Amino acid sequence: MSIPLWKPPKLPREHGAWAMLTLPLVLGVVGTGVLRTTTWALVVSCVLAFLAHFALVPVGQRRLAGRVPARSWWVRRGAWGVIYLLAALGAFVLTVTLTPEASVRSLLVVAATAVACATVFGVSSVIGSNRRAWSELIGMVGLSLSPALIALADGAAPTGPTFGPSVLSFAYFVSSLSFVRAYGAASKRTTVVALAIHVVLMVGLLIVAAAGWLAPLAPIAFLPLLIRTVWGLARPPASLRALGLREVAVAVSYAILASIAISI
């Protein structure tokens, strides 16, 4: 039985994808400390763009692979993908109109960078290279810019502290990527690489905090990621479901500690 065209596609089930969407938005909202119309409009724009990606990418993947689904399937996903994109654009236009004039140019530059990163990741997802590290990292850069966008829309100047929460977001993304890759490969080499990446990330956060981009206590938020990586590689979760649930708990812990550090 075909699904009615008016019914939107099911929401994505990937815990990691939702965590990567939500974490930067939470840190951005906490960083501004104020819930204005610009903040809500930008958050809505980001969520709608996220849903558009998950609606449209499967259409491109199947058509490129020569698997032509039922017409109602791809028409429905294509239509909803376009609806999501147009609604995201409308919410962003509202954001721009409400942003203080001094911050508009910076907001547009950062937004263009985020869109470029999302486009690269979207295209790579269609052609089947979305699981390569370079593609995922580019997509993660785009996602991690949402706290900076929220701050700029609130009137912040494009200084280091404006991008501090974005740095925290990207650090979580890289940590998660390296851990999941090491978990999947289950080899000594990938384990060493993952641990080395976490040492580099921790040192990087300390340097960023010393430069004044982050509060001095912000690097403490990285501790749950270090613990998860060491514990998870020493005693790997028994299943992907267990891995996903553990990662949700880690993401929540990181978000709480990072939010406290940002708001102090």
Side-chain angles (χ1 to χ4, degrees):
M1 183 175 62
S2 61
I3 301 175
L5 294 178
W6 55 264
K7 190 172 183 180
K10 291 182 179 180
L11 294 176
R13 296 182 178 180
E14 294 89 343
H15 295 116
W18 282 108
M20 290 184 181
L21 170 70
T22 306
L23 175 66
L25 296 177
V26 169
L27 296 185
V29 171
V30 172
T32 60
V34 180
L35 292 178
R36 295 193 175 94
T37 304
T38 49
T39 303
W40 288 115
L42 192 50
V43 169
V44 168
S45 181
C46 292
V47 173
L48 289 170
F50 172 82
L51 294 176
H53 170 86
F54 278 94
L56 294 174
V57 164
V59 176
Q61 288 174 331
R62 293 196 184 189
R63 295 189 72 85
L64 190 64
R67 296 180 295 151
V68 182
R71 183 175 181 275
S72 60
W73 183 88
W74 66 264
V75 168
R76 182 172 67 92
R77 295 192 75 93
W80 274 101
V82 171
I83 290 171
Y84 288 142
L85 280 178
L86 292 177
L89 178 60
F92 182 72
V93 169
L94 175 61
T95 300
V96 174
T97 60
L98 296 175
T99 297
E101 186 176 354
S103 299
V104 169
R105 183 176 179 180
S106 299
L107 175 71
L108 292 176
V109 170
V110 176
T113 303
V115 169
C117 292
T119 301
V120 170
F121 181 69
V123 172
S124 67
S125 298
V126 171
I127 63 179
S129 59
N130 61 311
R131 292 302 180 184
R132 296 179 181 176
W134 66 266
S135 174
E136 291 192 81
L137 287 172
I138 290 175
M140 290 171 179
V141 169
L143 281 172
S144 68
L145 289 175
S146 56
L149 288 171
I150 291 174
L152 291 169
D154 193 52
T159 59
T162 298
F163 292 89
S166 292
V167 173
L168 282 173
S169 300
F170 188 67
Y172 168 75
F173 296 161
V174 176
S175 168
S176 180
L177 175 63
S178 64
F179 170 67
V180 171
R181 290 294 181 90
Y183 169 81
S187 69
K188 183 177 180 180
R189 177 180 175 276
T190 55
T191 297
V192 172
V193 169
L195 293 175
I197 287 174
H198 279 74
V199 171
V200 171
L201 288 173
M202 187 65 184
V203 172
L205 287 178
L206 290 171
I207 293 174
V208 171
W213 286 34
L214 290 170
L217 295 178
I220 294 177
F222 197 73
L223 290 179
L225 306 185
L226 284 174
I227 295 171
R228 174 260 276 136
T229 301
V230 174
W231 176 37
L233 294 179
R235 294 180 177 275
S239 64
L240 288 176
R241 173 179 168 76
L243 174 67
L245 292 176
R246 185 182 295 183
E247 194 62 25
V248 169
V250 170
V252 171
S253 300
Y254 184 73
I256 292 173
L257 291 175
S259 296
I260 292 173
I262 290 172
S263 60
I264 291 177

